[in-house]
């Protein structure tokens, strides 16, 4: 039997849920909504979204979830394990239409919320302000030095000018996008916090329904 992409994602997720206390979702070409749907399913079985890291030059998203030991999470996991005892290809999973990662109406708002949380954290990981500012000023200095050493002013001077423009513009766009995501999270009742590393993040008001 040939599995759909959604079925393959779900199969891999359920394998981690049943064997591990920490889950890592790595799907290089997946959309954010796909990550949100998979995280939703994992939370239905007793996990909670923890963080996202962007890894490598291609900034591939690694979504991390950990087992939630709270009574509410254990109750939710027990209820969903009873309601969906054998999730997988051709069989239903919590909150999704059969054979897909498309949320049913009852789960859509929760999937949207966790997707926004993931996107907000990813935007923060992508925009290391200090690093980008350092690159914005170090880059032109390097190109100017190379221009003096090589005499290739026509090639290197435009790069010296365009590098900070590009990097600072990218930083501004990312900051604006992240601010809009933050507004959505505030509107959804999430609380802004700073984690142990000093990063701005949000905490959901309650775990979503069983």
């Amino acid at each position: 039997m040939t599995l759909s992409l959604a079925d393959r994602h779900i199969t891999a997720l359920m394998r981690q849920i049943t064997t591990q206390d920490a889950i890592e979702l790595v799907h290089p070409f997946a959309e954010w909504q796909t990550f949100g749907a998979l995280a939703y399913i994992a939370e239905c079985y007793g996990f909670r979204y923890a963080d996202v890291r962007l890894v490598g030059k291609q900034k591939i998203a690694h979504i991390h979830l950990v087992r939630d030991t709270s009574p509410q999470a254990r109750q939710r996991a027990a209820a969903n394990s009873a309601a969906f005892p054998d999730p997988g290809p051709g069989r239903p999973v919590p909150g999704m239409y059969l054979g897909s990662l498309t949320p049913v109406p009852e789960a859509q708002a929760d999937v949207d919320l966790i997707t926004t949380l993931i996107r907000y954290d990813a935007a923060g990981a992508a925009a290391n302000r200090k690093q980008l500012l350092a690159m914005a000023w170090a880059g032109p200095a390097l190109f100017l030095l190379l221009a003096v050493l090589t005499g290739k002013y026509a090639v290197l001077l435009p790069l010296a000018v365009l590098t900070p423009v590009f990097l600072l513009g990218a930083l501004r766009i990312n900051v604006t996008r992240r601010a809009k995501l933050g507004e959505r999270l505030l509107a959804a009742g999430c609380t802004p916090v700073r984690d142990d590393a000093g990063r701005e993040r949000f905490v959901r008001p309650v775990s979503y329904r069983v």
Side-chain angles (χ1 to χ4, degrees), residues 1-177:
M1 180 177 66
T2 301
L3 298 180
S4 68
L5 182 59
D7 281 334
R8 291 200 296 271
H9 285 333
I10 293 170
T11 299
L13 173 65
M14 296 310 302
R15 187 180 301 117
Q16 292 193 74
I17 287 175
T18 57
T19 60
Q20 301 171 194
D21 288 330
I23 292 174
E24 183 177 60
L25 305 176
V26 186
H27 304 299
F29 302 107
E31 297 180 352
W32 292 118
Q33 190 76 9
T34 297
F35 285 123
L38 291 170
Y40 175 93
I41 295 170
E43 292 200 353
C44 286
Y45 286 99
F47 285 76
R48 62 177 173 83
Y49 165 68
D51 203 357
V52 56
R53 292 188 301 116
L54 302 181
V55 178
K57 293 182 179 180
Q58 303 303 319
K59 300 295 184 183
I60 295 175
H62 289 229
I63 314 300
H64 294 268
L65 301 101
V66 296
R67 194 171 294 280
D68 189 340
T69 58
S70 70
Q72 296 91 338
R74 290 198 297 268
Q75 180 183 9
R76 184 171 63 243
N80 281 296
S81 294
F84 304 90
D86 189 27
R91 299 181 296 277
V93 297
M96 303 295 143
Y97 285 107
L98 184 64
S100 78
L101 286 171
T102 301
V104 298
E106 296 78 17
Q108 185 68 64
D110 295 320
V111 173
D112 288 344
L113 179 57
I114 195 170
T115 300
T116 304
L117 278 170
I118 293 171
R119 291 181 60 197
Y120 182 87
D121 289 343
N128 185 322
R129 183 177 178 84
K130 291 182 179 179
Q131 184 181 44
L132 285 176
L133 289 176
M135 292 171 60
W137 304 119
L142 176 60
F143 287 127
L144 287 173
L145 177 60
L146 289 174
V148 172
L149 293 175
T150 64
K152 296 181 178 180
Y153 292 97
V155 175
L156 294 170
L157 287 182
L159 291 175
V161 173
L162 292 175
T163 296
V165 172
F166 174 78
L167 290 174
L168 294 174
L171 178 61
R172 183 180 181 86
I173 290 171
N174 192 75
V175 168
T176 301
R177 181 182 297 124

